[in-house]
Amino acid sequence: MKPLISIIVPINQVERYLEKCLFSIMEQNYRNLEILLIDDGSTDRSVEICDDFAKKDSRFKVFHIENAGVANARNVGLANSTGDYIAFVDSDDYIASDYIQYLYHLLTKYNGQISACGQKNVDLTGKRLTPCTATEEVFEYSRKEALYNLLFNQKLNNSCWGKLFIKELFQDISYPAGHLYEDLATTYQLVAKADRIIYGDSEKYFYIQRPQSILNSKFSRLHMDSVYFSKELVTFMKENYPSFVLPAEYRLFAAAFEIVLKTKKDQADLNDCVAVAWSIIRKNRFKFIFYKSSAFDYRCLAFASIFGITFTRNIWNLWLSIKYRK
């Protein structure tokens, strides 16, 4: 029999999407699964949907807990998992029928500890939002190669979904409960414990972009976690991979710009957050204007920042209006 694989699904107020997600997991052609549904204090029909799936299929295990955020929900799933491998699926997304089989095949064929696949970005109707660039190629990375790839969001990204991990990697790593951007705080640590990371350039994970998601939500103080965790990333690289300090600082630089550009003029209570982010930008802008790996938009923003925060925001808004005008 093939080894048991645990799939962890954090759930909160997603009744509109949940059934599609859970059906896609139930119909996996890799059958030896343990599916942990962590109901994070839902008050909608998500509770009933979870219980119904558990009645229909004994592989589903439901945990109803008080709302404490997705990071805590993932930790609850990890603590109760019994599989040899760990996978995550967000409850508003869905997966191809061979998603788990594909990731497991990559791990076993290429002797890896983490495998990853491509994603298809879709809207609520399933319509593709980004061009297909999948080549069906397989890429084998050493630890250092994978970390570099991760730092620049090339083939690998920070998300825990779209990946399969051997469970041993989580032995002393957990998600930071009570924080956003929990993947930014953990994925690089998991990669740093793996000897081989395998990426298959095939779209097996379907990521739904919806207005209520964390990445699309209005800026709040919690979004500063992206800066704090990027600072931890820089420290980690200084202590373990000095040659990767500059790429890590670039990630921090980009996170600081996200704070400055997402805050609004009427959010005066967040001025301290903006001040922290702007100080990072002022300290590093000349470094990343000329950094060969800087994206074109960040080079332009770095140059614009010389003329002040208001000018930088105006240039960014002008660029967006040109880019997305009909």
Side-chain angles (χ1 to χ4, degrees), residues 250-268:
Y250 176 66
R251 290 297 299 269
L252 173 61
F253 185 67
F257 263 118
E258 290 293 313
I259 301 302
V260 169
L261 298 175
K262 283 186 176 180
T263 49
K264 307 299 181 184
K265 292 181 180 179
D266 60 353
Q267 294 182 290

Side-chain angles (χ1 to χ4, degrees), residues 136-185:
E136 305 300 324
E137 292 181 79
V138 174
F139 299 84
E140 302 175 59
Y141 298 119
S142 67
R143 180 183 302 156
K144 290 192 68 173
E145 289 170 337
L147 283 170
Y148 184 85
N149 196 290
L150 193 69
L151 285 168
F152 286 104
N153 266 333
Q154 294 174 342
K155 297 296 183 184
L156 299 174
N157 61 39
N158 278 293
S159 301
C160 66
W161 46 257
K163 298 177 178 67
L164 183 65
F165 305 86
I166 60 169
K167 188 176 182 179
E168 287 82 1
L169 295 178
F170 288 95
Q171 191 167 11
D172 56 356
I173 293 176
S174 61
Y175 289 92
H179 295 273
L180 301 183
Y181 300 98
E182 61 283 339
D183 291 336
L184 179 59

Side-chain angles (χ1 to χ4, degrees), residues 2-107:
K2 291 182 178 180
L4 181 66
I5 295 178
S6 300
I7 303 179
I8 297 171
V9 188
I11 296 164
N12 179 257
Q13 306 295 101
V14 287
E15 61 181 6
R16 181 178 178 182
Y17 319 96
L18 186 56
E19 287 183 304
K20 185 171 187 175
C21 172
L22 299 187
F23 271 120
S24 74
I25 298 174
M26 187 170 68
E27 294 170 356
Q28 290 295 294
N29 56 18
Y30 188 104
R31 304 303 297 169
N32 195 23
L33 300 175
E34 170 188 64
I35 307 157
L36 299 100
L37 308 182
I38 317 301
D39 167 34
D40 186 32
S42 297
T43 57
D44 64 358
R45 286 190 59 251
S46 298
V47 177
E48 177 186 334
I49 293 170
C50 288
D51 292 339
D52 285 346
F53 270 84
K55 292 175 183 177
K56 290 186 290 188
D57 190 328
S58 62
R59 297 176 302 169
F60 286 88
K61 300 178 181 180
V62 181
F63 299 83
H64 298 292
I65 62 175
E66 292 186 7
N67 177 246
V70 65
N72 179 71
R74 287 178 182 166
N75 289 337
V76 171
L78 287 168
N80 288 278
S81 63
T82 60
D84 300 304
Y85 300 87
I86 300 290
F88 297 91
V89 177
D90 280 358
S91 55
D92 51 355
D93 298 332
Y94 56 100
I95 53 179
S97 61
D98 62 343
Y99 171 74
I100 293 295
Q101 177 61 45
Y102 180 76
L103 292 174
Y104 176 71
H105 170 74
L106 291 178
L107 270 191

Side-chain angles (χ1 to χ4, degrees), residues 147-321:
L147 283 170
Y148 184 85
N149 196 290
L150 193 69
L151 285 168
F152 286 104
N153 266 333
Q154 294 174 342
K155 297 296 183 184
L156 299 174
N157 61 39
N158 278 293
S159 301
C160 66
W161 46 257
K163 298 177 178 67
L164 183 65
F165 305 86
I166 60 169
K167 188 176 182 179
E168 287 82 1
L169 295 178
F170 288 95
Q171 191 167 11
D172 56 356
I173 293 176
S174 61
Y175 289 92
H179 295 273
L180 301 183
Y181 300 98
E182 61 283 339
D183 291 336
L184 179 59
T186 53
T187 301
Y188 72 88
Q189 296 186 59
L190 294 166
V191 170
K193 292 178 66 177
D195 294 319
R196 290 173 63 79
I197 298 88
I198 315 300
Y199 176 81
D201 198 11
S202 182
E203 295 178 333
K204 301 295 184 181
Y205 191 96
F206 299 93
Y207 175 76
I208 297 178
Q209 294 187 351
R210 60 188 181 100
Q212 297 87 354
S213 69
I214 290 174
L215 295 178
N216 292 316
S217 60
K218 184 179 179 181
F219 181 85
S220 71
R221 190 170 295 276
L222 283 174
H223 285 79
M224 280 296 290
D225 287 340
S226 64
V227 169
Y228 300 142
F229 290 143
S230 294
K231 286 183 176 180
E232 290 184 358
L233 173 65
V234 172
T235 299
F236 179 87
M237 294 304 169
K238 285 181 178 178
E239 294 174 351
N240 298 280
Y241 300 93
S243 62
F244 290 165
V245 170
L246 191 57
E249 289 177 339
Y250 176 66
R251 290 297 299 269
L252 173 61
F253 185 67
F257 263 118
E258 290 293 313
I259 301 302
V260 169
L261 298 175
K262 283 186 176 180
T263 49
K264 307 299 181 184
K265 292 181 180 179
D266 60 353
Q267 294 182 290
D269 58 315
L270 300 174
N271 284 345
D272 58 321
C273 298
V274 175
V276 170
W278 191 247
S279 67
I280 293 169
I281 292 168
R282 291 184 62 186
K283 179 181 178 181
N284 293 282
R285 58 189 172 203
F286 289 108
K287 181 191 302 181
F288 293 115
I289 287 175
F290 302 105
Y291 182 42
K292 66 178 182 179
S293 297
S294 291
F296 176 75
D297 52 352
Y298 284 114
R299 287 178 189 266
C300 293
L301 286 169
F303 182 78
S305 72
I306 297 170
F307 303 97
I309 190 169
T310 300
F311 181 82
T312 303
R313 283 171 167 165
N314 289 340
I315 289 294
W316 179 250
N317 290 331
L318 175 63
W319 183 83
L320 289 179
S321 68

